[in-house]
Amino acid sequence: MAHPKRRQSKTRSAKRRTHYKAVAPTLAVCPNCGALHVYHKVCGECGYYRGVVAINVAAAEEEVAE
């Protein structure tokens, strides 16, 4: 197995890790109800995705309440 001969400096490690950062998700406006939702995901308010009902929100809320 490969084994480093010299210790890597803190600066060199930090330079490698500069691109490791959290990115805020892109939000879209639901054309059905106007709520914000993440792109390519079902709207949590109305359950629509691309103009089609994907989840029946009322039934899902009743199921959770039970």
Side-chain angles (χ1 to χ4, degrees):
M1 243 168 75
H3 191 70
K5 282 191 174 207
R6 299 276 183 262
R7 179 178 179 219
Q8 234 179 23
S9 69
K10 295 174 190 172
T11 305
R12 187 168 178 161
S13 300
K15 284 180 184 178
R16 184 180 66 249
R17 294 186 185 121
T18 58
H19 303 291
Y20 298 169
K21 57 187 172 224
V23 178
T26 307
L27 298 177
V29 177
C30 177
N32 189 49
C33 67
L36 289 176
H37 65 93
V38 182
Y39 266 6
H40 306 290
K41 303 290 178 195
V42 175
C43 177
E45 299 293 321
C46 64
Y48 274 71
Y49 180 70
R50 297 185 66 173
V52 180
V53 178
I55 298 173
N56 190 346
V57 177
E61 286 177 357
E62 290 175 7
E63 190 176 296
V64 172
E66 291 178 353

